[in-house]
Amino acid sequence: MLLSPAEAIGYTKIIPAFLDPNLKPTDLLHGVSFASAASGYDDLTANLSQVLPVSKQLEYLKHYKLHLSRLVGVKKAQNIVNNAIFLLSMGTNDFLQNYYLEPNRPKQFNVEQYQNFLASRMFEDIKEMNRLGATRVVVVGVPPLGCMPLVRTLAGQNTCVESYNQVAWSLNAKIKEKLAILKKTIGIKDAYVDCYGVIQNAINNPKKFGLVETSKGCCGSGTIEYGDTCKGMTTCADPSKYAFWDAVHPTEKMYRILADEAIASLDGALID
């Protein structure tokens, strides 16, 4: 059976949101999520989407520690945080929704400068996480942007758009460089999940993963609809045969393939 990273290392199937009004005190013992969909390493990306930026998520991490300390005591709470695995998965919206669609960042940065900016923001975020007690961090790389059905459609191509893929590949390289520096300078244990390579491999070798359709999504036409625009649309008969659910996001099947890769990244890198 294919598992999510949380399931595979023995936790509950769903990691609850820290802001969930139904969150129970005992849920804090097993980990929570501070994530906010459509956020990014660049706080401006979150502001454009009106979601929580990473800076706010880190603030909630501080609140989490306070609640946890009240529940189990300061020493045990610190031990839980020290041994927790922190997962970061961002970067796609920074480019697709912020840099390429909004006028501000392109006026300030060329593509390489923006990549450096994002990698630097990640670097500082992880340093802050470490200051708050994080010692184990998993970073999910940016997927091949040019293979997303929406990008293919806008570019008028049936194949992946290599210029977009190159942007993602270069950003990932810079992220890995920063992780190496963090490991050397502050001793943080880290693992990198090669989202780019996994999705690219699945698109190039669909039969190997039991996939049939890798060029369009399961929802609607599969070429332009994503997120809320999929509401009310017809869907494909078998999403497990598709790499993409909509024109941007992978299917559950693809996420499970990525989860397997994440577990492989954890093995030996973070688990003592």
Side-chain angles (χ1 to χ4, degrees):
M1 185 169 109
L2 292 169
L3 303 172
S4 72
E7 289 176 277
I9 57 179
Y11 291 108
T12 53
K13 185 175 182 180
I14 297 175
I15 301 296
F18 180 62
L19 297 181
D20 185 344
N22 297 314
L23 186 74
K24 301 179 181 64
T26 53
D27 291 333
L28 300 176
L29 299 171
H30 305 290
V32 293
S33 173
F34 306 99
S36 190
S39 187
Y41 291 116
D42 184 353
D43 276 6
L44 178 60
T45 302
N47 294 341
L48 291 170
S49 301
Q50 297 184 321
V51 298
L52 300 178
V54 177
S55 55
K56 190 66 177 180
Q57 294 173 39
L58 290 173
E59 185 179 322
Y60 284 127
L61 172 57
K62 297 175 186 177
H63 294 174
Y64 166 80
K65 289 184 63 180
L66 289 173
H67 287 292
L68 192 61
S69 295
R70 291 177 188 142
L71 183 67
V72 299
V74 175
K75 186 175 181 180
K76 187 172 182 180
Q78 190 64 37
N79 186 59
I80 290 172
V81 173
N82 289 159
N83 288 285
I85 295 174
F86 289 76
L87 177 69
L88 285 80
S89 179
M90 289 175 284
T92 298
N93 281 61
D94 287 314
F95 266 103
L96 290 188
Q97 195 167 349
N98 188 349
Y99 191 84
Y100 287 126
L101 294 181
E102 295 291 332
N104 293 323
R105 288 310 192 206
K107 291 178 181 178
Q108 297 172 290
F109 308 104
N110 62 32
V111 170
E112 184 176 8
Q113 289 170 338
Y114 193 54
Q115 291 168 338
N116 289 333
F117 173 74
L118 296 178
S120 295
R121 291 311 314 148
M122 181 210 71
F123 184 85
E124 295 301 325
D125 291 338
I126 294 178
K127 282 176 63 177
E128 176 63 10
M129 290 162 59
N130 179 249
R131 191 185 70 79
L132 294 171
T135 63
R136 306 178 185 200
V137 178
V138 178
V139 176
V140 180
V142 178
L145 303 177
C147 292
M148 291 179 174
L150 178 63
V151 175
R152 292 188 187 194
T153 300
L154 294 176
Q157 292 187 198
N158 293 323
T159 57
C160 297
V161 183
E162 286 308 314
S163 59
Y164 278 71
N165 280 356
Q166 183 59 42
V167 167
W169 189 91
S170 297
L171 174 57
N172 288 334
K174 293 176 187 297
I175 286 173
K176 287 186 281 187
E177 287 175 2
K178 292 295 186 183
L179 289 176
I181 294 172
L182 286 165
K183 186 173 184 178
K184 183 177 180 179
T185 56
I186 62 177
I188 201 163
K189 293 182 178 180
D190 63 70
Y192 173 79
V193 179
D194 184 15
C195 181
Y196 184 104
V198 173
I199 293 180
Q200 187 79 289
N201 189 24
I203 289 173
N204 292 338
N205 305 283
K207 291 183 179 179
K208 178 181 176 181
F209 298 93
L211 300 173
V212 175
E213 179 58 72
T214 62
S215 63
K216 64 180 183 178
C218 174
C219 146
S221 69
T223 58
I224 57 172
E225 303 90 352
Y226 66 94
D228 288 344
T229 59
C230 272
K231 288 182 178 179
M233 293 281 182
T234 57
T235 58
C236 61
D238 187 359
S240 69
K241 300 298 182 183
Y242 281 63
F244 293 94
W245 166 251
D246 57 21
V248 172
H249 302 97
T251 54
E252 180 182 358
K253 172 71 172 287
M254 180 56 71
Y255 276 123
R256 287 184 172 182
I257 293 169
L258 285 167
D260 284 347
E261 175 67 17
I263 296 306
S265 298
L266 293 178
D267 188 22
L270 301 181
I271 307 298
D272 294 330

